[in-house]
Amino acid sequence: RRDSIDVSSEHMCNFGYGKLLISLSYKQDEGVLNVGVVRAVELPAVDLISKSCDPYVKCYLLPDPSNTSKRRTVTKKRTTNPEFNESFTYKVGIRTLMSSSLEVSIWDYNYATRNTFLGCVVLSSTSGPEMSQWLDTLCSPNDTFTVWHPLTQKGRRVNPKAKVTDL
């Protein structure tokens, strides 16, 4: 199964991409980044009949040319406001983490067709509004920072074999 990326849906443009609540903490003594995927709200309704979607979240710690950092939540059925409450850990040194970024994307699971990209957020120390949570996590080891992030179409890992689909 390959995921597809929807970049032209008028439906999504009218309603936005939603928001995602993410918690981060770095345990310096263990060299472990803890990523909490808490919940999402206001996701676009991909299924226009039920006015819902079947969302799941994927996380990557980048750069990751071999995809070994991929983590995935369970799929939540028929909701645009899913509660995930899942945590993932990455064993990584602070120096490596300072030059890394965390991509968190939300997808709609489709049984019969390709999964549809709903939005993403990229956390890193380089730039953008997401920078403050990443820097707070790096500068204050052992503290947890939980922040709402608006989802966008920017910064996503694009699978060159993925097809662009419309809703």
Side-chain angles (χ1 to χ4, degrees):
R1 163 179 301 275
R2 289 202 176 110
D3 296 324
S4 64
I5 298 170
D6 184 337
V7 294
S8 63
S9 173
E10 183 178 315
H11 176 73
M12 285 184 171
C13 293
N14 289 340
F15 296 100
Y17 304 106
K19 295 182 276 189
L20 182 63
L21 185 60
I22 301 171
S23 69
L24 294 178
S25 66
Y26 184 71
K27 306 301 180 197
Q28 191 167 14
D29 55 336
E30 301 168 28
V32 171
L33 175 68
N34 293 304
V35 178
V37 178
V38 183
R39 64 185 305 232
V41 294
E42 302 169 3
L43 295 178
V46 176
D47 183 339
L48 299 179
I49 295 170
S50 67
K51 294 186 178 12
S52 67
C53 58
D54 299 322
Y56 66 92
V57 174
K58 291 194 297 188
C59 299
Y60 291 91
L61 188 60
L62 305 173
D64 180 23
S66 63
N67 282 340
T68 56
S69 73
K70 180 181 176 181
R71 308 289 190 272
R72 185 190 188 285
T73 66
V74 298
T75 301
K76 300 297 181 175
K77 298 289 185 180
R78 291 182 225 73
T79 181
T80 57
N81 298 298
E83 297 273 346
F84 293 104
N85 294 315
E86 293 190 43
S87 298
F88 305 113
T89 60
Y90 294 97
K91 182 86 170 149
V92 60
I94 190 72
R95 288 186 183 198
T96 301
L97 201 55
M98 292 172 90
S99 61
S100 298
S101 59
L102 180 71
E103 180 190 79
V104 184
S105 58
I106 298 188
W107 296 79
D108 175 58
Y109 175 79
N110 296 301
Y111 177 74
T113 62
R114 294 178 185 260
N115 296 335
T116 304
F117 177 82
L118 299 178
C120 76
V121 60
V122 178
L123 305 173
S124 73
S125 60
T126 55
S127 65
E130 300 82 11
M131 182 174 65
S132 66
Q133 183 182 20
W134 190 255
L135 290 177
D136 287 344
T137 302
L138 296 179
C139 294
S140 301
N142 304 317
D143 290 339
T144 300
F145 299 90
T146 304
V147 177
W148 281 103
H149 294 281
L151 297 168
T152 69
Q153 294 281 308
K154 297 179 182 178
R156 64 181 176 264
R157 292 165 49 112
V158 176
N159 177 350
K161 296 179 183 177
K163 290 185 179 178
V164 176
T165 61
D166 293 327
L167 293 176

